[in-house]
Amino acid sequence: MRNRVQEFRKAARLSQEELAAKVGVTRQTITSLENGKYQASLLLAHKLARYFETAIEEMFLFDDEEEGT
């Protein structure tokens, strides 16, 4: 699953630290999300989507082929 966290964050002119504070995680979590080294929990995905006023599906892009379906 890919995500657009960095794209949304930069469009909002937020640092990783600022975004992390707004959704209640560490800067390292945001860095790992942006680098594809961490998959957001459903709760974190919801918080991020709600913060950016978008649908989870717009921020987190699921690829059916990744799951072999």
Side-chain angles (χ1 to χ4, degrees):
M1 176 171 38
R2 296 179 302 117
N3 72 69
R4 299 172 60 203
V5 174
Q6 184 175 43
E7 180 183 335
F8 277 85
R9 178 181 62 77
K10 287 185 175 184
R13 296 184 175 197
L14 293 171
S15 69
Q16 290 176 332
E17 188 76 38
E18 290 168 327
L19 178 56
K22 294 195 183 291
V23 296
V25 297
T26 65
R27 181 193 56 78
Q28 291 84 354
T29 298
I30 299 299
T31 300
S32 294
L33 273 172
E34 291 182 355
N35 292 328
K37 295 181 180 180
Y38 174 74
Q39 296 294 323
S41 67
L42 183 56
L43 178 60
L44 179 54
H46 179 72
K47 285 181 180 181
L48 287 163
R50 188 169 55 186
Y51 177 78
F52 289 113
E53 298 179 349
T54 192
I56 290 174
E57 296 89 337
E58 289 294 319
M59 180 162 281
F60 295 89
L61 309 171
F62 182 75
D63 184 356
D64 288 341
E65 292 180 14
E66 290 177 9
E67 292 295 318
T69 58

